[in-house]
Amino acid sequence: MVPVLTYGILGPLIVRRGEAEVPVAGVRDRTVLARLLLSPGDAVSKDQLIDALYGDSPRKTASTQIHGAVKRLRYLMGAASIQTDNGGYVLVTPPEAVDANVFERLVTLARTALRAGRTGDAARDLVRALELWRGPALAGFDGEIFAAEARRWEELRLAALEERIETQLELGRYTELIPELHVLTANHPMRERFAGQLMLALYRAQRTTEALRTYTDLRNRLVDELGVDPSPDLQHLYEQILQQDSALHHLPEPAFTPQQLPAGLPSMIGRDSELKVAMMALTPQQRRHLPVVVILGNGGVGKTTVALEVAHLLTGDYPDGQLFANLGGASARPARPHDVLGRFLRALGVSAPAIPADPEERSELFRSLSARKRLLLVLDDAADAQQIAPLLPGSAGCAVLATSRADASQFHSVTLIPLQPFDAHDARALLAQSAGTERMAAEPAAVEQVIERCLGLPLALAIVGSRLAARPHWQISKVAARLTGRQRILSELREVEPVLEWAYGVLDEENRSLLRRLGLLGQRGVSPWMAAALADISVPAAEERLEQLGEAGFLSPTGVGAYEGLTYTCHDLVLAVGHDRAMKEDSPEERAAALQRSFGALLSMSDAAYVAVRGGHWGIVRGAARRWLPPEPWLDRLPSGWAPVWLESQPARIAAAAQQAAELGETEYCWELALALFPLLESGGHFELWRSITDCGLAAAQKAGDLRGEAAMLYSQGHRATIRHDLAEARQLLERSAELFRGLGDTGGEGLALSDLAAISRTGGDLYGAEKTYAKAADLLSQAGDRAGEAGAVHGIAKIYLDRHADWTARIYLEKARLLVHSAGNLGLEAQILHSMAVLDAHAGHLDTAETGFQNALKVIRSLDHLVGTAFILVDLGALQLGRGGRHAGFLNLLEGCELAQIAGDRRTEAKARYALASEYVKCGEMTLAAAEYTTARALYHALGDDVGAARAQEGLASLARAVP
């Protein structure tokens, strides 16, 4: 067979026969062929060919030269390749033989796929279409018709390129697109769509500053060169980025495909019919509605095993990923859909700041992300249909497989698969996997007894089988005898309790003791550190015991914790059994001592974390609750930077421990635990936890008459209210705290409370009273040896002199505060002092020095991940830069400061930032945005009780109204 000729005009002219290139030499021959390729299958007249070759200056011999060129082309390409038609010529070739036609067909296919919601297919077709281009279309041809066609094809290429980038943005590949878009915007500086795509890609890549700069640069070019503004669409995108519009986060793609399914069993016994039903319901096919399968049954019946078997069989049918969540429906605290959605969104590539706080918005974002994906969701242990509903994807291309103990009547429009206990055949097969067929054949009666007493439940049978495998010398009749007397084995969460009690009984005493203490603690997450404290042993010994309990089936390894070694999960039923055994086997004194050690372990870790973050035990009240440390120097082995990571992982654990300490009457442990998270809470974003945990500590201290604990909790709550700018509440709490500390002779505690009271007075404009209170606080804190606390009070005095514009005196106090804080090693306070020094330099007109100072303060505070402090410094830095004409940097710092203040819950800093942003928007002519920021600032100032700030914002709104006719 003669190879087909193919032609290329998307670049220099090229002709191929199969894989071999046909050499078309000579300008005339190439020009004639190129002109014929512009109209393949249509007749091209001699005049048209002459015009293409010579333009307005044809030669007398032009007709002869055209004839000669056609003759040579026929010789090269075949006589039938060019036919004569009415004095003209026709290039005979199928459309798919010309690369330009293939390009157009692929682009059309891509657009069809895009309309059908097949974004991935559209992206692939567009990539294939653009790969056909080898350079500028019709490169090397100068005639007018070629130039016009080249311009047309270039426009088509750019349109396809824009669409390809659009599809890849939709697929979440924004990071890899950024370098290409930088080149495209440089090569096409007036093409707004490339600029908009670059803005969106940068924004989704957490590069908001660059996204906004891209818009500003384009706008400046358009105004300077054309005297026009960007299009309304691009202006709208700019406003969305400024406002952090959640709609822009709807289509990120993870850097990897989430594959969260836990491992299934190597081989599964029985359930063939149930597997078939589930597979038929969930196998992808033409369907209009989301398929949902719910596997129902009591605990221990094997719901999770069946679900995982089905899910693993279907992974190839859901290439966009598999998401898994244990909803804890059978536990005392089922998982909140809100939290599960947060995990799913993070798995799909959404950054934590971009995840909406509102539950409904989270569901909407998840549905949007899954709308064009093929995801498989496995929702294990659902409490009810209501818990599942917010987690359902938004596409019939996805599928959901859930397990639940709930009643079948509440599930509608789903495929229900009820699981029953194993029949005798499958139960024997399951036992045989562990015990062996020969062993079972030797004791058939004992096997039947075990099956009967386990009620055919796979979980109970599996536990029995694992024990038989671990004890090959045991007779099955011995196991059957151990199960005697327990008629009800399974019932809700405690349905396999008899089997677990038997398994508990075969442990050695050390492991039984640890299991009892884990039951007492009642927390599912278990670390070697906490196990060591409960058992009063070394951490290596605790690791060994946890491993043994894991091998025995009581614990499941979950990964490496935050500097605590390999962690485990303890099932709720195991905890219940452990607690029951502890109440029966351990004395009250032993139980109390174990829990006290667990509380003491948390306090010793939090003490070390506080010192690592603050440089010492400065600025905090400590009690006399006994700490616990393992025999080996565990804390000495922790690497630098461990403290913030550890603190971030502890809120739930420490809050639960404080509540437990309160319930047990361990008052001092309770309120000290309530202070354990102080550095994390103070950094911002955890104000609700701060309130709840200190409420618990305060109630416990007041109930027990522990005045020092009460004073400490009041101070902590007052400090929280001060940061939140709830000044009336803060004053009341701090005055009572200072009074109690004073009565106890606690100079350090009183000094801390007075220092915050002085800050409140300064905010209220009572500078004289504030200075007096700060001075007293500094004296008390000096007596107590709290150098950082003293530095904070001295810094407060310096800020008062800054307020009075007494710069020289302010600098003296700032230098003193800096010396004190340097010796204390408190980086957070050092950043505050650097900030104040920068403010002082700004007052003095030393703007370069001031900006450097703000930058230094920002660097220190960022290293601590302190949201409140970072926001505060950013706002002042941005304002300074704007005042110096640095509009880009200043505006972006203001914007980031506003965002962080909002996240941290610092309403005053947010109000200050929004007012400054509004003023800048006015200068830019963005009156709508300015009005929005003035309105928000006014509302924040009103909420803070700041009438002056609210009036300023109102005046800004009024000036806008006057400016608009």
Side-chain angles (χ1 to χ4, degrees):
M1 173 181 271
V2 178
V4 176
L5 285 169
T6 57
Y7 306 87
I9 61 172
L10 301 180
L13 175 68
I14 189 169
V15 182
R16 289 192 178 94
R17 179 175 283 113
E19 295 298 322
E21 183 173 345
V22 177
V24 181
V27 173
R28 284 191 293 272
D29 296 1
R30 293 176 63 81
T31 303
V32 168
L33 178 57
R35 180 61 186 87
L36 292 172
L37 280 169
L38 295 184
S39 308
D42 295 331
V44 180
S45 68
K46 252 183 205 182
D47 289 340
Q48 288 175 310
L49 291 173
I50 292 171
D51 184 62
L53 187 58
Y54 298 110
D56 296 330
S57 305
R59 299 182 182 179
K60 292 181 180 180
T61 58
S63 180
T64 303
Q65 290 173 353
I66 294 296
H67 178 74
V70 170
K71 183 177 179 180
R72 288 188 294 274
L73 289 171
R74 284 171 172 164
Y75 175 80
L76 288 171
M77 297 164 18
S81 62
I82 300 176
Q83 296 181 358
T84 304
D85 186 341
N86 295 325
Y89 300 95
V90 178
L91 179 68
V92 180
T93 184
E96 62 270 18
V98 182
D99 61 359
N101 295 333
V102 177
F103 169 81
E104 285 190 304
R105 182 177 61 82
L106 287 170
V107 170
T108 300
L109 286 174
R111 289 167 180 165
T112 302
L114 198 57
R115 286 193 295 271
R118 294 182 284 110
T119 308
D121 293 342
R124 284 189 289 273
D125 287 337
L126 288 166
V127 168
R128 288 171 57 202
L130 291 164
E131 285 175 347
L132 295 170
W133 287 74
R134 295 167 287 106
L138 297 164
F141 298 100
D142 299 324
E144 181 179 340
I145 187 169
F146 295 120
E149 281 295 309
R151 288 193 295 272
R152 185 177 74 87
W153 283 109
E154 178 62 9
E155 190 59 34
L156 292 173
R157 184 187 73 84
L158 290 174
L161 183 56
E162 289 171 338
E163 291 176 67
R164 189 262 292 168
I165 292 171
E166 203 73 43
T167 60
Q168 291 179 323
L169 280 172
E170 190 171 349
L171 291 170
R173 298 169 189 164
Y174 43 83
T175 303
E176 65 193 63
L177 287 171
I178 290 173
E180 179 184 6
L181 282 166
H182 273 304
V183 174
L184 289 170
T185 53
N187 293 338
H188 305 278
M190 298 300 184
R191 202 166 183 99
E192 293 193 20
R193 194 170 180 188
F194 285 144
Q197 289 170 334
L198 177 58
M199 289 167 63
L200 185 57
L202 289 167
Y203 176 75
R204 287 181 176 168
Q206 306 294 307
R207 294 161 67 175
T208 305
T209 302
E210 295 173 62
L212 295 171
R213 186 179 297 118
T214 299
Y215 174 86
T216 304
D217 292 343
L218 174 64
R219 183 177 183 274
N220 290 340
R221 284 196 301 274
L222 290 172
V223 171
D224 293 342
E225 298 182 29
L226 303 177
V228 298
D229 284 322
S231 66
D233 286 346
L234 201 64
Q235 293 181 43
H236 179 62
L237 175 61
Y238 176 68
E239 292 178 5
Q240 285 182 297
I241 293 174
L242 286 175
Q243 297 164 8
Q244 306 288 292
D245 192 335
S246 61
L248 297 183
H249 301 284
H250 283 187
L251 296 171
E253 187 81 354
F256 61 93
T257 300
Q259 297 175 331
Q260 298 182 343
L261 296 180
L265 295 177
S267 61
M268 194 179 73
I269 300 299
R271 308 304 191 194
D272 291 342
S273 61
E274 291 87 351
L275 285 172
K276 183 177 180 180
V277 173
M279 293 291 291
M280 288 181 63
L282 298 175
T283 298
Q285 54 188 311
Q286 292 296 326
R287 59 198 181 202
R288 296 173 58 193
H289 303 291
L290 174 75
V292 179
V293 171
V294 180
I295 301 174
L296 299 171
N298 290 327
V301 79
K303 301 184 297 298
T304 302
T305 301
V306 173
L308 291 177
E309 179 75 5
V310 172
H312 281 289
L313 289 171
L314 289 171
T315 53
D317 294 325
Y318 293 92
D320 292 323
Q322 303 86 45
L323 299 172
F324 178 88
N326 184 341
L327 301 183
S331 68
R333 295 179 179 177
R336 297 189 308 162
H338 179 270
D339 298 329
V340 176
L341 283 170
R343 289 167 42 205
F344 284 175
L345 290 170
R346 285 191 292 274
L348 292 172
V350 182
S351 63
I355 295 175
D358 180 72
E360 184 58 34
E361 289 183 3
R362 284 196 181 190
S363 290
E364 291 170 357
L365 178 53
F366 180 65
R367 291 194 294 271
S368 296
L369 282 171
S370 59
R372 295 179 180 175
K373 294 183 183 295
R374 289 163 62 187
L375 291 169
L376 175 64
L377 272 69
V378 180
L379 306 174
D380 193 31
D381 194 19
D384 48 38
Q386 287 70 34
Q387 191 183 24
I388 294 175
L391 306 176
L392 297 181
S395 168
C398 298
V400 177
L401 178 58
T403 70
S404 180
R405 304 185 188 197
D407 186 80
S409 63
Q410 65 175 273
F411 294 98
H412 305 288
S413 301
V414 304
T415 300
L416 295 177
I417 301 179
L419 286 193
Q420 300 299 328
F422 274 167
D423 59 24
H425 177 270
D426 288 336
R428 282 192 293 271
L430 180 56
L431 277 177
Q433 281 188 328
S434 302
T437 54
E438 292 183 4
R439 196 172 172 190
M440 291 178 63
E443 298 182 89
V447 170
E448 296 306 318
Q449 288 176 347
V450 169
I451 292 172
E452 178 185 359
R453 291 167 187 172
C454 287
L455 301 178
L457 288 162
L459 176 59
L461 290 165
I463 293 173
V464 172
S466 66
R467 294 294 167 258
L468 287 169
R471 305 289 189 273
H473 57 282
W474 276 16
Q475 292 182 326
I476 296 177
S477 57
K478 181 176 183 179
V479 176
R482 285 177 174 269
L483 297 176
T484 302
R486 294 281 186 175
Q487 298 304 316
R488 286 188 66 200
I489 297 179
L490 302 172
S491 174
E492 293 294 331
L493 282 176
R494 301 179 67 85
E495 53 203 349
V496 296
E497 182 182 0
V499 180
L500 287 175
E501 286 185 343
W502 167 80
Y504 167 84
V506 300
L507 295 173
D508 59 40
E509 175 51 33
E510 288 182 341
N511 282 321
R512 287 202 302 269
S513 175
L514 178 56
L515 194 61
R516 294 197 299 273
R517 281 150 177 71
L518 292 175
L520 275 178
L521 187 65
Q523 296 184 14
R524 297 191 73 179
V526 181
S527 67
W529 170 272
M530 188 53 62
L534 288 167
D536 202 16
I537 56 177
S538 69
V539 173
E543 290 173 334
E544 184 176 352
R545 291 193 193 178
L546 290 175
E547 183 178 358
Q548 291 169 355
L549 286 173
E551 291 173 352
F554 288 98
L555 304 176
S556 301
T558 53
V560 178
Y563 304 105
E564 294 184 330
L566 181 63
T567 59
Y568 292 82
T569 296
C570 189
H571 192 278
D572 291 332
L573 181 56
V574 174
L575 292 173
V577 170
H579 184 272
D580 183 61
R581 291 291 92 199
M583 299 305 292
K584 293 177 180 177
E585 298 178 29
D586 296 328
S587 68
E589 292 76 19
E590 289 173 322
R591 297 196 299 267
L595 289 173
Q596 287 170 357
R597 288 194 300 272
S598 74
F599 303 150
L602 283 175
L603 287 177
S604 63
M605 283 287 281
S606 66
D607 286 347
Y610 191 94
V611 171
V613 172
R614 297 295 179 85
H617 289 296
W618 321 112
I620 194 170
V621 180
R622 299 180 74 208
R626 186 176 180 182
R627 271 61 172 168
W628 181 89
L629 286 169
E632 70 277 12
W634 171 267
L635 293 173
D636 295 344
R637 301 204 303 263
L638 293 173
S640 61
W642 71 274
V645 179
W646 183 83
L647 283 167
E648 191 68 43
S649 70
Q650 295 305 303
R653 178 187 290 179
I654 290 179
Q659 181 63 45
Q660 190 172 33
E663 293 169 355
L664 296 173
E666 298 286 353
T667 304
E668 196 151 28
Y669 278 117
C670 176
W671 68 259
E672 282 216 68
L673 285 166
L675 291 174
L677 294 169
F678 197 83
L680 176 69
L681 301 176
E682 191 183 37
S683 68
H686 299 277
F687 289 111
E688 292 306 314
L689 172 64
W690 194 343
R691 167 69 77 183
S692 63
I693 197 171
T694 52
D695 278 347
C696 175
L698 180 60
Q702 289 174 335
K703 181 179 179 180
D706 184 341
L707 295 180
R708 191 157 190 271
E710 181 179 356
M713 292 295 92
L714 290 169
Y715 165 68
S716 183
Q717 290 194 345
H719 192 65
R720 171 190 179 276
T722 301
I723 294 174
R724 292 274 293 165
H725 301 284
D726 296 326
L727 301 185
E729 177 189 2
R731 182 177 293 280
Q732 182 180 3
L733 291 166
L734 291 166
E735 285 176 347
R736 177 58 180 159
S737 173
E739 180 184 350
L740 289 173
F741 278 130
R742 191 178 306 115
L744 294 167
D746 188 332
T747 55
E750 183 185 0
L752 291 173
L754 288 177
S755 190
D756 274 10
L757 282 168
I760 294 170
S761 295
R762 173 177 170 260
T763 300
D766 180 10
L767 300 186
Y768 175 77
E771 182 179 3
K772 183 177 179 182
T773 307
Y774 269 134
K776 184 175 181 180
D779 182 56
L780 290 170
L781 290 163
S782 176
Q783 294 176 39
D786 188 341
R787 294 196 297 276
E790 182 185 358
V794 173
H795 179 220
I797 296 174
K799 288 194 288 187
I800 289 173
Y801 282 101
L802 274 173
D803 294 340
R804 292 170 174 165
H805 301 287
D807 293 354
W808 181 253
T809 307
R811 189 174 295 279
I812 293 173
Y813 279 104
L814 284 173
E815 292 295 346
K816 179 180 179 181
R818 190 173 185 183
L819 287 173
L820 285 166
V821 79
H822 184 73
S823 65
N826 188 318
L827 292 177
L829 183 53
E830 183 176 351
Q832 294 179 41
I833 294 169
L834 288 172
H835 169 268
S836 294
M837 286 182 163
V839 171
L840 184 61
D841 288 326
H843 284 178
H846 305 142
L847 301 186
D848 287 341
T849 305
E851 184 166 351
T852 300
F854 282 133
Q855 295 282 11
N856 291 337
L858 186 62
K859 182 178 180 181
V860 174
I861 204 70
R862 279 196 193 276
S863 71
L864 302 176
D865 198 24
H866 197 297
L867 297 183
V868 172
T870 303
F872 187 77
I873 295 170
L874 277 169
V875 171
D876 279 355
L877 173 59
L880 176 70
Q881 290 170 326
L882 286 172
R884 301 187 69 196
R887 292 185 60 192
H888 296 313
F891 177 77
L892 294 174
N893 282 326
L894 263 183
L895 186 63
E896 184 184 0
C898 184
E899 292 170 346
L900 292 180
Q902 187 175 20
I903 292 169
D906 184 351
R907 294 174 296 171
R908 180 165 292 279
T909 299
E910 183 186 354
K912 180 179 178 181
R914 290 192 181 278
Y915 183 86
L917 283 169
S919 301
E920 186 60 23
Y921 283 138
V922 170
K923 295 177 185 176
C924 299
E926 302 285 356
M927 300 308 180
T928 302
L929 294 175
E933 296 295 355
Y934 275 138
T935 301
T936 305
R938 181 182 61 183
L940 288 168
Y941 280 127
H942 270 310
L944 293 166
D946 186 340
D947 295 336
V948 174
R952 287 170 57 226
Q954 179 60 44
E955 174 55 30
L957 284 168
S959 66
L960 286 178
R962 289 192 296 270
V964 178

